[in-house]
Structure formats: structure tokens, C-alpha cells
Amino acid sequence: MAAPDGRVVSRPQRLGQGSGRGPKGRGACLHPLDSLEQKETQEQTPGQLDMLRKAQEFFQTCDAEGKGFIARKDMQRLHKELPLSLEELEDVFDALDADGNGYLTPEEFTAGFSHFFFRQNNPSQEDAGEQVAQRHKEKVYQSRGNEDLGDTGEDEEAQFQMLMDRLGAQKVLEDESDVKQLWLQLKKDEPHLLSNFEDFLTRIFSQLQEAHEEKNELEYALKRKIAAYDEEIQHLYEEMEQQIKSEKEQFLLKDTERFQARSQELEQKLLCKEQELEQLTQKQKRLEGQCTALHHDKHETKAENTKLKLTNQELARELERTSWELQDAQQQLESLQQEACKLHQEKEMEVYRVTESLQREKAGLLKQLDFLRERNKHLRDERDICFQKNKAAKANTAASRASWKKRSGSVIGKYVDGRGILRSQSEEEEEVFSIPRRSSLGLSGYPLTEEEPGTGEPGPGGPYPRPLRRIISIEEDPLPQLLDGGFEQPLSKCPEEEEVSDQGAQGQIQEAPPLKLTPTSPRGQPVGKEAVCKEESSPSAPDRLFKIVFVGNSAVGKTSFLRRFCEDRFSPGMAATVGIDYRVKTVNVDDSQVALQLWDTAGQERYRCITQQFFRKADGVIVMYDLTDKQSFLSVRRWLSSVEEAVGDRVPVLLLGNKLDNEKEREVPRGLGEQLAKDNNLIFYECSAYSGHNTKESLLHLARFLKEQEDTVREDTIQVGHPAKKKSCCG
Ligand SMILES: Nc1nc2c(ncn2[C@@H]2O[C@H](COP(=O)(O)OP(=O)(O)OP(=O)(O)O)[C@@H](O)[C@H]2O)c(=O)[nH]1
Ligand SMILES: [Ca+2]
Ligand SMILES: [Mg+2]
């Protein structure tokens, strides 16, 4: 080991000696050498390391500037220091520049150093150097074989490794074993061929090296290309990324915009909804408030209701109690009213009686007075005549006197019942009628037949007993004595009148035929004051009497009408009727005498209850209204119902519209009266008491109707024995 070490070491020493600048350049380039050293330490043997160190020193000498590589001019600078020409240095550089790129890396330099160094030292005898080396090698092998066989193998191994290193086989050969075996074989068997083999190997490896480097270059180019491609791809990728990013951004922008628009829209909607919600909430709150208020009200109302109910119940109880009390009170009141009414009626009747009596008395007295005056005059005349006439006429005068006594009895019986007035009227009258005067009360038209039975005086109506003084009502016949069989001489046959008639003084009164007795008739024959009615006095006594009641409002003209009918005259400014009055009038109806007892009632309200009582026994009723006074017409219905109330509908009714003469002031059209009459089945006339229009016609119509009705009843009673039906009076 020492020998190869020494030899290998010697060559660098020489080189170092030759250059003499080893230590100087050594410190200039440490770094690449350090890396080399490390590598070499791992792979190279110590001899090789030594040589490598030498090579490195030389490399640093060449690379004076410490660039890390040696350029061609660096090598040419060694021309002065080395015993080599410029061309030779050029050749060395070219030989060392294995990859031919124009500069030498430390690896290239180190690899080619040894070989070239030896050839440099022996440029003319290259083979000789090789031979020397060969010999040296052989010597090494021999010494090894001789000294230690084990050491020989190792040496050979080292030699081979060196060769391999020199050739740079590690870079191109993976398995060195075949080459090694062949080398060993050749060394053993043909050592002279070894150098050839080594040359061959050198060439091979050099070519291989070249190929390898080419490959590396290609690889490098490829790598660069790949890098470029990669770069391009990267670029493209980046571009694409950029594009994608921008697209994405654009999309995002659009999306965002859309989203924003949408969100704005939604926000708007939300706002709207929120407002609506707010409104609704407010509404709800309001409603809730109302609800609460209502609830509260309801409660209050309920409470109030309950209270009211209780109050109501209390009130109802009170009402019931009160109504009971009221009923009691009413009953009491009713009884009191009835009592009062009764009292009132009694009082009224009393008043009426008194009034009537007074009136009648007055009227009777007046009439009596008239009559007596007449009689007085007549008697005076008679007396004068008597005195003047001779005695021959005396008998005649006596007869006349007897006759007077008899008539005057009847006549005075009618009018006079011993009235004191007569005396006061005239002394002569008193002389003539020396009758005791009595006061008498009665209705007007009452035939005053009352007479003291004890009076010796042959008074009027002498033969009858004097009846009790009383009020005549329609229910009683006012002249019963006249209808008596005992009464033989009716008023109409009064000798006075006869005489007057004879004498032609009055001339109007006709002698009535002898009274016919009609026992079948329930009615007496009336001889009322109006029987003296001159014009209407019928030739014969009436064979029937009808009582007719006259009603109607005050001032419609009832009294005027009766006056017109009975006396055929009209006096304006009549006083209102007081109580009740009556007149009798005999009329001729279909050849029979009918006496009409006409009851004139007072229309004033206060006499109504009296009037009412007169309906009951009436045969007919006349209801009168004033056709110039609407109110009187409107009252007709009330009058009709009063009549109906008292007698039902069995009595015929004559409806009269009076004052036809005053057409200007008419207020009730004729049609209304007609309609009312038609509706109530009445006889109807419009008349005038003033002009006398329709006064007789209307009453005759009623009288005829009553007569016919009575005839029918009579016939029915006799023939069939059934009650007759009421005839319709109108039409
Ligand atoms: N123009 C005119 N006036 C009349 C007529 N009939 C009566 N009068 C007047 O009417 C007024 C009342 O007449 P009366 O006959 O007293 O009336 P009454 O219906 O009897 O009245 P009471 O007795 O109160 O019920 C008097 O002034 C009459 O002159 C008539 O036909 N024509
Ligand atoms: Ca090179
Ligand atoms: Mg009257």
C-alpha cells in the first residue's frame, strides 16, 4: 500500500513543485473542492484521494478567479508556468472537456487529470509510460503474490476500481462484475492485452460517456422543454384560472345583482307585509280594546239587567197590587157612578118634570086664555044678541046656552082646569067661568081634564073623575079619556067650533064625523091640542095613532119643522127646546085618518138621557140634520145608534136633511145623505122648514109606511097568528 500511495502522491508533488503556487491558489476556491473532497472521501481510495487533492489544487490554480469552472483562456494562462505549448494546452483542454461545452467542471478536470498528467510528463513515449505503469503494476501484482496472496486480490480490486473510476464506468455501467471478471481473466491470462482491453474500455466508456452526456443533455433539454411546457401549462392554467375567476366573479356579480334585486324586492314585500302586519296588529289591538270594552259593557249591562229584572219583578208585584187596588177602586167608582147616574137621572127627571109642567101649564094657560077671550067675546056678543033679541028668541038662546055648557065642558076640559089666570085676565071671563082655579101641571098639549069631582059647577070634562096629577110620558097615552067609550064627543065635534063654523066666523073647521070605535086597535084616538089644527083636521076621527119621536142636534130645525107641519108657518129665531114637547096632527093616509103624536125633543146635549127614554115606545123615529152644518150630519150616526140601542131595528126611521132653502151654505151633499140612508135602511128626504118643501111629503111617507106595517101585522095576527116581519122602509 505504501508504494501506490507514494507513487500516486509523487505526481501531484511534482506538479505542485512545478507550479510552486499550490498553497496560494488553494484558499481561493474552497467550496467546490470541499464538495469534491466529501465525495471523494466516500468513494475514493486514499491514493486516489491524494491524487484528487492534487488535481483540485491544480484546478484552483487554473481557476484563479474562483468561478467554479475553467474556461479555455484560463488554461492558456498556464502556458508560462507549464512546459507546454499553447497547442498542447489546447489539446489538454479539449481532452478534459468531455462534454465539449467550452469549460471544464471540477469533475471533468479531476477525471481526466491523472491520465493526461502522465502523458504530459512523457509526451513522446506514451506507450513507454504505459509500459512503465504496466510494469509497475506487474511489480505490484508480483510483490503482492509473493508477500500475501490475500493482499493481491485486494490490490487487483483497487486497480480495477481505479480503472473504473478513470473510465467513469460508474456512471454508465450498472453491473461491473462481468467486466471485472473479464479484466481479471485477461490480466491473468494475457497481461499484454490488458492495455488494449483498457483502451478499448476507455473508448467504449468514452463513447458511453458521450452517449450518457448526450442523454443527459437531451434529458436536460427535455426537462427544459417540460419546464417550458409546464410553465406554459402553468401559464395556461393560470390564465384559465384567471378566466374562471373572472367568469366566476362576473357570475357572482350577476348573481349578486340578481340576488340583490330579488332581496330588495323581497325586502320591499317584507316591508309591505310588515306594514300590513302592523296595521293588522293595530286593528287587532283596537278590536281587542273594543272587545274588552264590550265585554265590560256586557258585564255592566248584565248587572244592570239583573237589577232591572229585580226592579221589574218588584214593579210587577206592585202593579199587581195596584191593579187589585185599582179594580177595587174601579168597582167602588162604578157603584158610585151608577149611584150618581141614578141620582143624576132622578134629578134630571125631576127638573124635567118641573120644567115640563111649568111649560105646559104656561102654554095651556095661554091657550086657555086665548080661548076664553074668544069665548068671552063670543058670549058677550051672544049676550048682546040675547038682549037685543026679543023674548021669542029666548027659548032658542036657552038651548044655545045648554049646548055651550056641554061643549065648553069638553073644550074647557081640554084647556082649562080652573085656572086662576082667567080671573086675572078679565072680570068678564071670571064671571062667565066662575070655576074654581087650580094650578095644573102637564105637558103642552095635555088635555087638561082634571076636575074636582065635588064641584057643583058643570066644569069642562065634567063626567070624568079627575086623574092624579102626573107627568105624561110617551109610554102613556096622553089622552086616554078621549079614547074611552064614555067620551062620546070628540074635540073636533066641539059645539063651539060648530057654532063658529055655523056662524062663518072661523069657517075653516069642518065637522068631524061621529067617532068610530075601533076596539081592535090598542091605541086610543088622540085629541091633542093640535087637533084644533084647522087646515089639517080630518073629516073623521083618526082610527089609529102613531107615536113619532123627533131627534137631531140642536138648531137643526126640529121645532121649526113641526111648526111648519102642524101650523104651516115659520117663525125665525125660535128658542131652543127645553126638555120635551109634543104635538098631535091627524093626517089622511089612503082614506084613513092617522093621528101622529109628534114628540119634539131638545137637541142639546144635557137632555140626551131624557130623549133616550122616549124611544122605547116610539112607533117611528125622525132623525134630522142641518144640511148647512156638517157636524149635525156627522152626529146622525150617533143618533141612529142611540135609537138602535133602545129599540133595535124594529122602528122605521126617517132621515131629514133640513134647510134646503139655504143651498148656498150647504155643507152636506145630497149623495152623502142618500148613501147613509141606503146603508142604514132609512127613508130619506131633504126638506126646508122655512119654505115648507118636503115637510108634508116626508111625514106622509112615514105615516103611510107605519100604517101599512100595522096593517100587515094585523093581517098576520088574524090570519096566520105569526108575528109580522119588519118591512123595509126606504125605497
Ligand atoms: N133657513 C132656514 N132656517 C131654519 C130652518 N129651520 C129652522 N131654521 C132656523 O134654525 C134655528 C133653529 O131652529 P129650531 O127649530 O129651534 O131648532 P131645533 O132643532 O128645535 O133646536 P133645539 O130645540 O135646540 O133642538 C132657528 O133660528 C130657525 O129659524 C129652515 O128650514 N131654513
Ligand atoms: Ca466541459
Ligand atoms: Mg126645538
Side-chain angles (χ1 to χ4, degrees), residues 249-261:
E249 269 172 9
Q250 228 165 351
F251 179 76
L252 270 174
L253 199 72
K254 265 188 196 169
D255 207 41
T256 314
E257 269 173 20
R258 218 172 54 230
F259 176 76
Q260 268 176 354

Side-chain angles (χ1 to χ4, degrees), residues 552-561 570-578 600-604 624 626 658-662 687-692:
N553 279 11
S554 181
V556 296
K558 297 183 290 294
T559 309
S560 300
F561 182 90
F570 178 81
S571 350
M574 290 278 288
T577 307
V578 174
D600 178 17
T601 64
Q604 286 172 352
M624 182 176 271
D626 177 354
N658 192 31
K659 307 194 187 177
L660 185 60
D661 57 281
N662 198 359
C687 60
S688 167
Y690 175 75
S691 68

Side-chain angles (χ1 to χ4, degrees), residues 7 128-142:
R7 200 179 56 169
E130 275 174 22
Q131 280 168 6
V132 172
Q134 190 63 39
R135 272 195 302 269
H136 183 73
K137 276 178 192 173
E138 282 169 10
K139 270 186 210 169
V140 171
Y141 293 141
Q142 278 167 5

Side-chain angles (χ1 to χ4, degrees), residues 241-380:
E241 286 264 279
Q242 200 66 28
Q243 215 168 335
I244 284 172
K245 207 174 156 190
S246 74
E247 285 285 321
K248 209 170 167 182
E249 269 172 9
Q250 228 165 351
F251 179 76
L252 270 174
L253 199 72
K254 265 188 196 169
D255 207 41
T256 314
E257 269 173 20
R258 218 172 54 230
F259 176 76
Q260 268 176 354
R262 181 82 183 133
S263 76
Q264 254 177 359
E265 197 181 311
L266 284 174
E267 257 175 36
Q268 205 75 26
K269 270 187 191 172
L270 191 69
L271 211 70
C272 279
K273 291 276 168 195
E274 267 175 7
Q275 278 175 357
E276 265 175 43
L277 189 70
E278 183 81 9
Q279 280 173 0
L280 283 175
T281 316
Q282 278 176 4
K283 213 175 186 178
Q284 196 196 359
K285 268 183 196 166
R286 218 167 44 232
L287 284 174
E288 269 173 6
Q290 280 177 0
C291 236
T292 320
L294 282 175
H295 207 65
H296 188 68
D297 275 5
K298 195 179 142 193
H299 271 298
E300 267 180 18
T301 315
K302 225 180 197 174
E304 211 166 311
N305 224 4
T306 320
K307 224 156 65 188
L308 283 173
K309 260 184 198 163
L310 285 173
T311 318
N312 199 17
Q313 278 172 357
E314 255 174 53
L315 284 174
R317 275 199 294 275
E318 210 165 310
L319 185 71
E320 214 172 320
R321 209 173 55 238
T322 316
S323 65
W324 278 113
E325 282 172 9
L326 191 70
Q327 253 178 353
D328 280 354
Q330 266 175 346
Q331 277 170 359
Q332 277 179 4
L333 190 69
E334 256 171 53
S335 61
L336 284 172
Q337 268 175 345
Q338 276 171 357
E339 241 169 78
C341 194
K342 225 182 275 173
L343 282 171
H344 185 72
Q345 277 182 4
E346 272 168 26
K347 202 173 145 193
E348 284 276 349
M349 281 309 281
E350 200 69 38
V351 169
Y352 160 72
R353 275 176 204 135
V354 174
T355 318
E356 282 300 304
S357 310
L358 288 171
Q359 212 188 11
R360 287 193 191 287
E361 197 174 2
K362 183 185 154 199
L365 287 171
L366 283 172
K367 293 232 176 226
Q368 241 174 330
L369 192 63
D370 283 348
F371 177 73
L372 287 173
R373 274 195 193 123
E374 198 79 22
R375 284 311 302 174
N376 199 20
K377 191 182 162 201
H378 185 66
L379 286 171
R380 246 184 268 157

Side-chain angles (χ1 to χ4, degrees), residues 97-100 108 171-172 206-220:
D97 186 12
D99 55 2
E108 280 175 327
K171 287 179 188 171
V172 290
S206 137
Q207 279 176 8
L208 276 175
Q209 186 81 26
E210 272 171 27
H212 186 71
E213 272 165 13
E214 208 170 317
K215 185 195 117 192
N216 276 348
E217 225 169 290
L218 280 173
E219 265 180 5
Y220 180 71

